[in-house]
Amino acid sequence: MSKHNDELFKQVVSHAKEYGFVFPSSEIYDGLSAVYDYGQLGAELKNNLKTYWWKSMVQMHENIVGIDSAIFMHPKVWKASGHVDGFNDPMIDNKDSKKRYRADQLIEDKIARYQKDGKTEKAEALQQEMDAALEGDNLAALKEIIEKHEIVCPVSGTRNWTDVRQFNLMFATRMGAMAEGSDEVYLRPETAQGIFVNFLNVQKSGRMKIPFGIAQIGKAFRNEVIARQFIMRMREFEQMEMQFFVKPGTEMEWYAYWKEARLKWHKAMGIPAEKYRYHDHSKLAHYANAAVDIEFDFPFGFKEVEGIHSRTDFDLSQHQEHSGKKLQYFDSEMNQNYVPYVIETSIGLDRLFLLTLCSAYEEQDLSTDERTDSRTVLHIHPALAPVKAAILPLTKKDGLPEKAREIMNRLKVDHYVQYDEKDSIGKRYRRQDAIGTPFCITIDHQTLEDQMVTIRHRDSMEQERVAIADLDRMIADLVSWKNLLS
Ligand code: ATP
């Protein structure tokens, strides 16, 4: 990470805390590693991001429906899905610092350093070595790579490593009153399995015809070996996933469709195209026949935000086998039963939240020849912004607060708006800029005479006089979901 970007990331993290977007969990007890709470504005922004996803996936597609399945599932689900046996990360401990790392991430950091130093060939060779070791589940080879490339612990600076071991990422707990004799259950590490096990319930009760999709938003839990980069890698996080069930043989068409549709969805938020890129997987999981990540250019580099995977009939077939229940679709046109193939789109809500903050954050120098001035502004799309408008009486007297409250009471039915009468109008504008409020509505003495207010636009800082009678329609148009969904 360059010094500039390092600085930007620190600013975003501290801004998120200062303005009530994200707090460390249980902070008065010194926090809980890789667990975060969303504050008053964070909860609003997160809800808006969820709504954007839900509307575009469910509401805008006649053949996609949404569900909300439980976090706890029958333990056999995770045996069938492969998570009990295969949801592992290779980890290694440094004996001096007592710190634990993911072996593959230590090597990836080394590859990035080679690349930064212009040692492209060395970087490529190391990448190949690592891929081969990971593909063969060869833990000894990973250790050898770490030793050969003299990778040191970032904390102790030593090469005093343990062997590489597998570490299952699922959290287990016990169901039932008695710990002994009760069943071990897992906190789900992904939301997708809740969709697969409900495939027939939804298909039959909703009379769904292939191709169709099932979407859901919900918490997922992973005991990440190392958690870092704020809300980028958490132990409790939220996913927005959609499984699209298709006729076998048509999956590559649908994969191409969703690959394009999902990137378009990201760009509609007004984020520049160059901030995104695809990363096509060259090595595929045994059940996948195509996979791509949508990566975003975070201040710490391009990282995965969303995955689009063509998963064949793997999941439904596995559940069929482990449950003994048929999970098939009767295709009336073909007069035939089959297990559908699945295209999955899976996005991390917290990573989406982080990319929204990182791309929105700007420190603007507004200095003129006469005076120095600056502001911190969040350029969040108006439909996604936590607060849609601030209602600001110019002074605390002369009937202006009453008029402002009257406007506030009308707007708050449809929009989350804030009332603020403290400090100078300039300071109040700055406070709203800092939380990304797209519009400030100022009520002044003239308002009482002509029933007009001043609307100030966050990004351009331009102001215009608007009739109170037109406010509802104008704000509704400016923050409408129509500006994001088409
Ligand atoms: P990574 O390689 O970064 O660990 P992954 O490939 O394991 O991610 P998936 O299993 O494909 O991730 O999960 C889908 C999405 O869920 C990811 O694209 C990411 O946005 C999000 N996600 C996964 N793990 C975490 C986490 N620990 N914290 C926050 N979001 C996560």
Side-chain angles (χ1 to χ4, degrees):
M1 182 165 21
S2 73
K3 187 145 194 315
H4 170 75
N5 286 340
D6 192 10
E7 202 45 48
L8 169 70
F9 188 50
K10 277 192 197 139
Q11 282 165 350
V12 169
V13 174
S14 74
H15 191 83
K17 174 152 188 245
E18 189 182 344
Y19 286 91
F21 284 90
V22 183
F23 306 124
S25 158
S26 330
E27 197 186 5
I28 57 170
Y29 294 99
D30 297 330
L32 181 65
S33 175
V35 185
Y36 290 89
D37 296 337
Y38 286 84
Q40 64 279 17
L41 292 180
E44 293 291 337
L45 177 56
K46 208 175 170 202
N47 277 340
N48 294 343
L49 290 168
K50 283 192 219 181
T51 305
Y52 175 37
W53 186 85
W54 191 268
K55 276 182 185 288
S56 73
M57 298 305 259
V58 178
Q59 201 167 309
M60 300 292 286
H61 288 93
E62 287 171 37
N63 60 348
I64 300 181
V65 290
I67 64 165
D68 183 12
S69 71
I71 287 171
F72 290 133
M73 300 184 75
H74 195 288
K76 279 190 189 164
V77 166
W78 306 110
K79 187 77 189 153
S81 68
H83 284 82
V84 169
D85 300 317
F87 195 49
N88 301 315
D89 272 345
M91 62 163 201
I92 188 164
D93 292 64
N94 182 270
K95 292 181 196 159
D96 298 320
S97 67
K98 310 268 183 282
K99 292 277 176 206
R100 177 167 292 173
Y101 301 93
R102 256 173 71 176
D104 56 329
Q105 285 183 351
L106 278 179
I107 300 170
E108 269 174 16
D109 289 347
K110 189 76 179 178
I111 294 171
R113 235 166 298 138
Y114 282 152
Q115 266 157 352
K116 214 170 123 218
D117 297 344
K119 298 175 182 164
T120 320
E121 272 178 29
K122 244 182 154 170
E124 278 166 13
L126 179 51
Q127 180 78 51
Q128 277 175 13
E129 265 183 89
M130 181 179 80
D131 288 346
L134 287 175
E135 206 176 351
D137 264 338
N138 191 340
L139 302 182
L142 285 175
K143 171 90 186 273
E144 269 168 36
I145 294 172
I146 288 170
E147 282 173 342
K148 192 170 101 191
H149 289 265
E150 302 185 345
I151 295 174
V152 299
C153 165
V155 175
S156 68
T158 70
R159 285 188 265 140
N160 195 6
W161 296 111
T162 62
D163 284 341
V164 178
R165 280 167 290 164
Q166 290 290 17
F167 180 74
N168 192 289
L169 300 185
M170 283 199 294
F171 283 101
T173 186
R174 300 212 159 264
M175 189 165 250
M178 308 284 288
E180 261 173 69
S182 56
D183 280 328
E184 189 170 56
V185 290
Y186 298 102
L187 298 185
R188 66 178 177 199
E190 61 174 30
T191 56
Q193 298 305 323
I195 292 178
F196 288 124
V197 299
N198 278 299
F199 162 70
L200 266 195
N201 282 339
V202 174
Q203 191 270 321
K204 291 219 154 88
S205 60
R207 295 184 295 125
M208 307 300 290
K209 287 222 160 1
I210 272 182
F212 74 91
I214 306 178
Q216 91 162 318
I217 300 176
K219 290 270 181 156
F221 304 82
R222 295 182 188 179
N223 199 1
E224 299 281 0
V225 176
I226 45 157
R228 55 178 180 179
Q229 285 152 342
F230 192 40
I231 54 173
M232 185 72 197
R233 188 171 296 286
M234 300 155 91
R235 298 204 163 103
E236 173 180 342
F237 59 101
E238 216 159 338
Q239 288 184 318
M240 306 196 285
E241 298 197 293
M242 193 275 300
Q243 324 301 133
F244 199 69
F245 300 93
V246 304
K247 191 158 105 184
T250 64
E251 72 274 13
M252 293 323 275
E253 278 163 50
W254 285 110
Y255 173 73
Y257 170 85
W258 284 111
K259 181 176 168 178
E260 196 192 321
R262 292 305 304 148
L263 187 58
K264 202 169 148 216
W265 180 91
H266 281 270
K267 289 183 189 161
M269 290 193 290
I271 295 170
E274 65 270 18
K275 294 294 249 176
Y276 285 100
R277 72 178 186 198
Y278 286 126
H279 172 235
D280 290 293
H281 290 208
S282 46
K283 307 242 160 6
L284 294 170
H286 60 279
Y287 51 80
N289 60 7
V292 63
D293 294 337
I294 294 179
E295 295 185 339
F296 178 78
D297 188 9
F298 287 97
F300 39 84
F302 273 98
K303 293 276 181 262
E304 173 183 343
V305 178
E306 172 156 7
I308 296 127
H309 314 121
S310 174
R311 299 181 63 100
T312 69
D313 59 356
F314 173 78
D315 304 87
L316 289 179
S317 297
Q318 283 290 105
H319 287 305
Q320 207 171 236
E321 196 183 312
H322 282 76
S323 68
K325 309 265 162 38
K326 275 208 167 10
L327 292 175
Q328 297 189 351
Y329 173 78
F330 178 70
D331 192 320
S332 52
E333 275 168 33
M334 294 169 73
N335 199 24
Q336 195 185 316
N337 279 308
Y338 56 78
V339 179
Y341 271 38
V342 170
I343 308 299
E344 158 181 273
T345 73
S346 173
I347 178 168
L349 176 56
D350 310 272
R351 289 189 190 178
L352 178 65
F353 186 102
L354 183 58
L355 85 79
T356 305
L357 278 193
C358 290
S359 60
Y361 185 91
E362 189 188 10
E363 292 208 353
Q364 273 183 343
D365 184 4
L366 303 174
S367 302
T368 58
D369 291 344
E370 286 82 46
R371 62 192 185 108
T372 53
D373 194 9
S374 67
R375 67 168 182 162
T376 301
V377 53
L378 293 184
H379 302 283
I380 303 174
H381 191 291
L384 300 171
V387 179
K388 303 301 182 205
I391 323 289
L392 316 172
L394 195 60
T395 64
K396 277 193 224 173
K397 48 186 197 304
D398 304 331
L400 299 188
E402 289 75 9
K403 190 73 191 166
R405 289 260 176 223
E406 199 185 299
I407 294 173
M408 162 101 182
N409 287 339
R410 242 173 55 199
L411 288 177
K412 77 179 181 192
V413 180
D414 288 317
H415 311 287
Y416 185 49
V417 290
Q418 266 188 5
Y419 177 86
D420 189 6
E421 60 176 27
K422 284 192 206 79
D423 300 318
S424 72
I425 195 75
K427 270 196 183 158
R428 281 182 271 166
Y429 284 159
R430 292 289 179 275
R431 272 205 292 271
Q432 295 299 330
D433 288 343
I435 62 171
T437 306
F439 311 104
C440 286
I441 300 168
T442 306
I443 291 88
D444 55 24
H445 293 91
Q446 186 73 23
T447 305
L448 302 181
E449 284 161 32
D450 62 6
Q451 302 300 314
M452 307 269 281
V453 291
T454 302
I455 289 205
R456 177 212 183 242
H457 296 258
R458 176 195 67 201
D459 296 343
S460 63
M461 292 188 285
E462 271 166 19
Q463 306 193 1
E464 57 177 322
R465 282 303 269 186
V466 172
I468 294 176
D470 294 337
L471 259 187
D472 290 46
R473 186 189 45 77
M474 187 177 169
I475 298 291
D477 278 353
L478 290 168
V479 305
S480 169
W481 290 108
K482 284 195 201 97
N483 306 327
L484 271 172
L485 303 162
S486 50

